[in-house]
């Protein structure tokens, strides 16, 4: 079914080494941006930007070439934003 509200899961695994996974729910179709920022809020990388239909979605976030440290995974749509802390350990 279609979810009745926006939500974003805690990333798992967390801490992570090579990749982590988030799930998120959209009660309506929306333009979605998923990005990673440092703890100061500066964008480090943008993992996804585009349209998604209403429903529950999952995304694997690769560590790429990022150094070890604490980051925020941010999901944003028009009218909704959520951030989840992640720890990358090399």
């Amino acid at each position: 079914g279609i979810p009745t509200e926006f939500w974003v899961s805690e990333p798992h695994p967390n801490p992570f080494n090579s990749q982590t996974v988030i799930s998120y729910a959209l009660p309506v179709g929306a333009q979605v941006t998923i990005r990673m920022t440092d703890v100061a809020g500066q964008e480090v990388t943008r993992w996804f930007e585009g349209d998604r239909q209403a429903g529950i979605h999952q995304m694997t976030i690769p560590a790429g070439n990022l150094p070890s440290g604490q980051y925020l995974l941010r999901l944003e749509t028009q009218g909704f934003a959520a951030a989840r802390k992640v720890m990358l350990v090399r």
Side-chain angles (χ1 to χ4, degrees):
I2 302 296
T4 58
E5 61 185 24
F6 290 98
W7 58 260
V8 178
S9 70
E10 291 297 323
H12 63 281
N14 189 19
F16 73 106
N17 179 281
S18 61
Q19 64 186 23
T20 189
V21 177
I22 61 166
S23 297
Y24 58 96
L26 304 174
V28 297
Q31 173 80 19
V32 174
T33 301
I34 299 173
R35 60 191 178 109
M36 188 175 285
T37 66
D38 61 20
V39 291
Q42 297 297 312
E43 184 172 309
V44 174
T45 190
R46 191 168 293 215
W47 295 115
F48 179 80
E49 186 168 32
D51 292 327
R52 287 284 192 229
Q53 295 179 346
I56 298 174
H57 304 272
Q58 188 175 61
M59 183 167 184
T60 300
I61 308 292
N65 294 325
L66 296 173
S68 294
Q70 187 171 6
Y71 297 93
L72 292 174
L73 280 175
R74 299 186 55 82
L75 182 137
E76 300 167 347
T77 69
Q78 185 173 350
F80 176 78
R84 300 290 183 254
K85 290 181 185 178
V86 292
M87 178 67 72
L88 173 58
V89 180
R90 295 280 184 188

